[in-house]
Amino acid sequence: MKRTTKTLLSGVALLSLLAGPALAQQVTLDVTAWKGNEAEPAGLPELIEKFESEHPEIDVELSYIGRLDTDTVIPPRLQGGDAPDVMMTDMPLVKIWGDAGLLKDLGQDNEWSSRIPAELNAALSSGDANYIMPLEVIGMGNFVNMGLLNQVGITEAPTTIEELKATCGALADAGINPLIFTGGFSAPLFLIANGIEGSDVAPEVLGSGEQTFAENASFNAGIDLIRELQEAKCFDPDQQAGLDPWSTALNEFSGGNFAMMPQGAWNIGAFSQVEGLDYVFAPIPSAQDSGVALDLFGIGWSIAARSDQQEAAKTFVDWFAKPENLQVMLDAESAYSPFDDGASGTPDLAAPYDAARANGGIINYPFALLQWPKPLEGEIWDSLTGFLLDTSKSNEEVLERWDWAVEDAQ
């Protein structure tokens, strides 16, 4: 009887020896993101499949959570016992969650951190801590329907203000709507790009209230410039008052009803599926010959401080920093690498924007790097919407509202 029992125990021990380590090594990573779904895959399904094939000991469960929902859904999980292991984040989230001790410090001594350009790395860091591994930078520029421009004898997208005015006049005279210029997004991109380009102070000086927008000569000139564009027949504010920048405006451009539209490169994929739409993605016209490549730092990966799978999470994050893996996302997003290798996923039609970046025309969108407080963005959209409907308003009436938003955010 003893011999039988010993034999059975030995069998159980043998099974444990054979099965136990394999089960112990298998890890499931809980990853949340506001990309990766059918509407905006961003290459994530393909990348996760590749990651799992290279790391068979790690299973990845990707949960899609919209960006706005992320603000409310994730914090209770981070503070409780149900924290995701890896989360898609941006700088506003990193600022709040990192300061609260809810994110793991990824450090400055890893391989990928040393490849981030100094200016961007400084903006992403919180003192000596780093809570985000950046994934992409996306351009915000001017979509230009070259088919419509060619009808009036123009063969290149405008990059300077004078070229823009001349293009608008030629198009308007031919009965073609020149420019989508909604107060909700397109006009703010134009004004922010030109205001920062000509300013003698850094964006963070304005965002801190150390200098006011109302006293800044460049932003005053930018508002004057909007009036000049209206006089040059670039846009009719009454005609555009009902255009939603995120829906109807996009449809109007893709339908060939307008020749130009400041917007983000994330629209390239959808626009390129429109049969017969001959367009390019160009910089925002400015006083400089290059125009402005208004770069938006978009997203990155962060690891929850309370994740139970820290080692596997780090493996996942580091894997995405490898150029050959990140390139899949860049191609899907028509984006630029945040690292110093200069990699790009933009198609040939973005050559004008690429040229602006190569010629030193890059300006970082200040909200994405927390140089300007987030509430100011909504105030800019609202104030410019009102201004476009009544351009007789003084510059001070518009810019003081910006300064009040900055003051309220302090």
Side-chain angles (χ1 to χ4, degrees), residues 12-345:
V12 171
L14 180 61
L15 288 173
S16 298
L17 183 64
L18 293 174
L23 291 173
Q25 290 176 2
Q26 197 66 32
V27 169
T28 297
L29 274 184
D30 182 356
V31 179
T32 64
W34 57 82
K35 295 179 185 284
N37 63 343
E38 184 177 346
E40 194 173 2
L44 282 178
E46 176 185 348
L47 284 166
I48 289 173
E49 183 178 355
K50 183 183 181 200
F51 173 82
E52 290 179 329
S53 70
E54 295 179 12
H55 296 276
E57 77 283 5
I58 302 176
D59 294 323
V60 177
E61 289 188 358
L62 178 67
S63 299
Y64 173 83
I65 302 177
R67 174 59 185 87
L68 295 179
D69 292 333
T70 296
D71 285 326
T72 55
V73 172
I74 299 298
R77 297 185 59 187
L78 291 174
Q79 295 166 341
D82 185 33
D85 299 302
V86 180
M87 300 154 295
M88 181 171 287
T89 54
D90 54 21
M91 288 309 296
L93 293 175
V94 165
K95 173 64 177 174
I96 297 171
W97 297 348
D99 288 353
L102 300 176
L103 301 180
K104 174 183 173 59
D105 180 6
L106 303 180
Q108 300 283 354
D109 57 352
N110 47 64
E111 184 277 334
W112 51 261
S113 182
S114 64
R115 294 191 283 117
I116 304 175
E119 182 181 359
L120 179 59
N121 194 37
L124 299 183
S125 302
S126 302
D128 295 331
N130 178 21
Y131 299 113
I132 185 170
M133 194 286 286
L135 289 169
E136 63 182 26
V137 172
I138 297 184
M140 296 192 295
N142 192 29
F143 284 92
V144 182
N145 185 321
M146 294 309 301
L148 295 179
L149 265 63
N150 289 340
Q151 290 182 28
V152 295
I154 299 174
T155 59
E156 294 184 357
T159 59
T160 68
I161 297 300
E162 293 308 312
E163 290 173 351
L164 176 60
K165 291 179 182 178
T167 300
C168 287
L171 290 166
D173 290 345
I176 299 171
N177 295 317
L179 180 66
I180 290 178
F181 207 65
T182 59
F185 193 58
S186 294
L189 292 185
F190 180 87
L191 180 52
I192 290 170
N194 279 274
I196 292 177
E197 182 186 65
S199 181
D200 58 357
V201 298
E204 52 266 33
V205 173
L206 293 165
S208 68
E210 184 178 342
Q211 184 182 107
T212 66
F213 286 98
E215 295 173 339
N216 185 274
S218 183
F219 277 90
N220 274 277
I223 293 182
D224 291 338
L225 181 55
I226 290 177
R227 295 190 183 94
E228 293 177 21
L229 294 184
Q230 186 177 15
E231 293 174 1
K233 298 183 285 189
C234 285
F235 64 91
D236 178 353
D238 292 329
Q239 178 191 29
Q240 300 192 35
L243 291 183
D244 184 325
W246 309 110
S247 58
T248 53
L250 303 180
N251 293 334
E252 289 291 326
F253 179 80
S254 63
N257 298 323
F258 284 82
M260 294 176 287
M261 178 182 66
Q263 251 284 355
W266 50 82
N267 294 296
I268 287 178
F271 288 166
S272 294
Q273 296 178 16
V274 179
E275 186 176 352
L277 183 61
D278 175 16
Y279 76 97
V280 298
F281 184 61
I284 294 173
S286 72
Q288 304 297 322
D289 289 342
S290 65
V292 171
L294 191 60
D295 277 0
L296 170 73
F297 169 69
I299 56 173
W301 291 127
S302 295
I303 298 175
R306 296 187 180 183
S307 166
D308 294 330
Q309 308 294 347
Q310 297 279 338
E311 184 177 348
K314 184 178 185 302
T315 298
F316 179 84
V317 169
D318 290 346
W319 185 87
F320 270 80
K322 295 179 180 179
E324 64 273 21
N325 299 328
L326 186 60
Q327 190 65 48
V328 175
M329 176 173 282
L330 299 182
D331 289 341
E333 293 277 274
S334 298
Y336 298 93
S337 172
F339 301 107
D340 58 13
D341 57 12
S344 168

